[in-house]
Amino acid sequence: MTPRDEHSRADSATVAPPQCPAHAYGEGGVARLYGPAAEADPMGLYEQLRDRHGAVAPVLLHGDLPAWLILGYRENLDVTRTPSRFSRDSRNWRDMREGKLTPDHPLAPISTWQPICAFADGQVHERWRGAINDAMGRFDRRGVRRHITRFANQLVDRFCTTGKADLVHEFAEHLPMLVLTQLLGMPEEYGPQLVKAARDMIKGTETAVASNAYVQETLRKLVVRKHADPGPDFTSWLLEHPAKLSDEEVQQHLRLVLIAAFETTANLIANTVRMVLSDPRCRANLAGGHMTLPDAVEQVLWDEPPFTTILGRWATQDTELAGQKIKAGDALVLGLAAANVDTAIRPDPTAPVHGNRSHLAFSGGAHECPGQDIGRAIADTGIDALLNRLPDIRLAVAESELNWVSSLMSRHLVALPVQFTPQQPQPQPPEESGLPVPSAADASEQDSPEPQTSTADRSAGIPAPPKSSRSRTSVWKSLTGWFRRR
């Protein structure tokens, strides 16, 4: 039975106002993944669906389009690792072929097929993904971290004299976009408007289509500019790659990187800072040197992944998954947050998972996020700079007063108000001109990539190698001073 079948077997439900609990379900009692009821407590909804249906549950997307939500850890891995059964090509979606996903549909910007690796499998995916990987591999990792630190300090300088700040709107949302505009070779002034458009687009709001159009036009102009004036940046490297991507292909991949990296990293920064400031056990472990800041970031990736779900697999054939009959053309939603707390692989969700990168926060399989280490670097380097600058930073409200807003794919803090002793702005070093391309001679001198556990090791829960002693010492010093002042 498909979610469509469950939807159609019951009589039409009485229309209820959006605030009413009855609005959480469509015909046949199929849960909606959109609307106020679903967005109020997505994790609670996932657990209700797990109790009712098991590892795979029928759900409804915007407009009551039927889909399957994958709640189990192993089932998510199965879907991400078998493109022959579950494709990333949205043209397989039955509802799209039948014209039910109109151009103005809230999900159109994130599900309409585009010439990018995220919507391809096989050789086409390898060509596009290879260009992305090669371009990202050219970044000087120490150069990237210098830019992160510089931008973090610039943001802190804007509010450090006041003794208070909202770290969502004044720090977490701006740092990733400042870094990304630098990496992509864009003027920094593009950042503020792109922050608004990027976040709006993935919410699936009524203005998502207009926000997508703004992002597309901004990136189209960037591609034209880089043809005339290339530099040591991601856009230029894609344009000159041997895979010979078209301008349209480059533009769409820039959009993919910009949107995915911004939302995930902004959420990761906010959630990690919140945990550091509100969790006594985390503070004690950091201050005592039992946990590094990268460990704290990884814990958040387990407990509060930046993307709670991802709409992005479509069945290529009739098949079965966790006892559910999946039909060709059905849509599947990866339940990343739900999978990370699946008791089959994590019996005690309160137990620390230091050093273990087998979570699904960055998806899995061939489409696992290629920029995850840059996202981690933005988060831990930026937070390290923040804590060093403001050693007595603390929450300005009780943790219970913090609020979140949710959408289909993400859940993020509305605000993170903090207080601290006012500080003076730091003298800023001269502007750095772009990110140099490392030569073979100095490649051995660069910081090595952050260690990872491969997706092939996820089900075994193999932990990543320990982080460097340099990172541990830096964070220990800053957190020790901060912790003793509390």
Side-chain angles (χ1 to χ4, degrees):
M1 180 177 292
T2 70
R4 189 186 302 275
D5 296 329
E6 294 208 14
H7 180 280
S8 61
R9 69 180 179 177
D11 294 333
S12 298
T14 302
V15 176
Q19 305 91 323
C20 177
H23 193 75
Y25 299 93
E27 294 182 12
V30 181
R32 292 187 170 106
L33 284 189
Y34 69 98
E39 294 166 3
D41 181 17
M43 291 301 293
L45 174 60
Y46 302 155
E47 292 311 306
Q48 291 176 21
L49 292 173
R50 199 196 307 269
D51 290 342
R52 181 178 178 185
H53 300 284
V56 177
V59 293
L60 297 172
L61 305 178
H62 291 76
D64 279 1
L65 300 180
W68 296 101
L69 175 62
I70 316 303
L71 300 161
Y73 181 92
R74 293 188 176 91
E75 288 73 17
N76 271 278
L77 283 180
D78 187 13
V79 170
T80 60
R81 291 174 174 176
T82 52
S84 60
R85 294 165 60 210
F86 306 108
S87 173
R88 277 294 285 140
D89 191 333
S90 62
R91 292 173 295 188
N92 288 297
W93 193 357
R94 183 189 313 106
D95 285 327
M96 185 170 288
R97 294 199 306 265
E98 294 176 356
K100 295 180 181 179
L101 205 80
T102 57
D104 60 348
H105 192 283
L107 296 180
I110 61 173
S111 59
T112 302
W113 187 90
Q114 300 154 51
I116 54 175
C117 60
F119 285 104
D121 299 303
Q123 292 183 347
V124 175
H125 171 261
E126 291 176 5
R127 171 177 172 261
W128 285 332
R129 179 61 180 258
I132 294 289
N133 290 344
D134 290 346
M136 286 189 174
R138 295 179 66 173
F139 285 124
D140 177 348
R141 292 179 181 272
R142 281 193 287 195
V144 171
R145 289 187 181 272
R146 285 196 300 271
H147 282 289
I148 297 168
T149 300
R150 177 166 64 90
F151 287 132
N153 281 321
Q154 287 178 2
L155 291 172
V156 172
D157 283 342
R158 296 178 184 178
F159 56 75
C160 66
T161 60
T162 67
K164 61 181 181 179
D166 171 8
L167 293 184
V168 170
H169 298 291
E170 297 181 73
F171 190 79
E173 286 189 343
H174 289 281
L175 181 59
M177 194 60 75
L178 286 170
V179 176
L180 287 170
T181 53
Q182 179 75 55
L183 300 185
L184 269 59
M186 304 172 69
E188 291 178 16
E189 58 267 23
Y190 281 24
Q193 189 61 31
L194 283 173
V195 166
K196 296 178 183 178
R199 178 147 276 178
D200 182 66
M201 200 190 79
I202 70 164
K203 286 180 182 177
T205 65
E206 297 301 321
T207 56
V209 174
S211 294
N212 180 57
Y214 171 81
V215 172
Q216 295 278 27
E217 179 61 15
T218 300
L219 295 176
R220 185 194 65 79
K221 293 178 179 177
L222 174 64
V223 172
V224 172
R225 181 182 300 111
K226 287 301 172 181
H227 269 302
D229 185 23
D233 54 67
F234 187 74
T235 305
S236 300
W237 295 334
L238 280 184
L239 288 170
E240 67 186 41
H241 193 271
K244 298 188 182 302
L245 275 62
S246 68
D247 285 4
E248 173 70 9
E249 291 172 334
V250 170
Q251 177 184 325
Q252 297 305 333
H253 280 95
L254 293 177
R255 173 183 174 274
L256 172 66
V257 170
L258 187 71
I259 301 303
F262 161 70
E263 178 70 8
T264 56
T265 311
N267 288 347
L268 181 57
I269 292 171
N271 289 335
T272 303
V273 173
R274 181 199 60 79
M275 183 180 74
V276 169
L277 298 183
S278 64
D279 186 338
R281 183 175 63 173
C282 174
R283 294 200 303 268
N285 285 334
L286 284 168
H290 304 297
M291 174 195 284
T292 66
L293 196 48
D295 286 335
V297 168
E298 223 61 43
Q299 184 73 49
V300 169
L301 288 170
W302 274 101
D303 297 336
E304 298 178 276
F307 278 159
T308 52
T309 67
I310 293 180
L311 169 62
R313 295 297 190 283
W314 291 274
T316 61
Q317 57 189 271
D318 291 352
T319 186
E320 184 174 318
L321 186 66
Q324 298 283 17
K325 303 294 184 180
I326 312 292
K327 290 188 176 180
D330 281 358
L332 295 95
V333 180
L334 301 180
L336 308 181
N340 279 354
V341 293
D342 185 350
T343 55
I345 56 98
R346 198 176 172 196
D348 181 5
T350 65
V353 284
H354 302 168
N356 190 332
R357 291 190 174 189
S358 59
H359 53 74
L360 294 179
F362 296 108
S363 189
H367 289 275
E368 186 175 14
C369 175
Q372 58 185 278
D373 283 338
I374 291 179
R376 285 183 172 101
I378 295 173
D380 66 56
T381 305
I383 295 172
D384 192 17
L386 174 73
L387 296 177
N388 274 305
R389 290 288 304 280
L390 308 173
D392 64 344
I393 191 170
R394 58 199 179 276
L395 286 178
V397 299
E399 185 182 7
S400 59
E401 296 181 36
L402 299 176
N403 295 308
W404 280 259
V405 62
S406 301
S407 60
L408 171 64
M409 292 176 59
S410 68
R411 176 178 182 265
H412 62 264
L413 276 167
V414 174
L416 187 60
V418 296
Q419 295 175 332
F420 48 86
T421 301
Q423 306 286 337
Q424 290 301 311
Q426 281 190 348
Q428 292 297 317
E431 288 287 321
E432 297 178 53
S433 56
L435 299 173
V437 182
S439 66
D442 57 25
S444 62
E445 299 177 7
Q446 294 179 20
D447 289 347
S448 59
E450 295 286 352
Q452 290 191 68
T453 299
S454 68
T455 53
D457 295 326
R458 291 191 188 282
S459 57
I462 298 174
K467 315 297 185 298
S468 68
S469 59
R470 176 176 174 271
S471 174
R472 180 181 297 273
T473 301
S474 172
V475 177
W476 184 87
K477 286 182 178 179
S478 61
L479 265 296
T480 298
W482 170 78
F483 182 68
R484 287 173 176 169
R485 288 175 172 84
R486 295 190 59 80

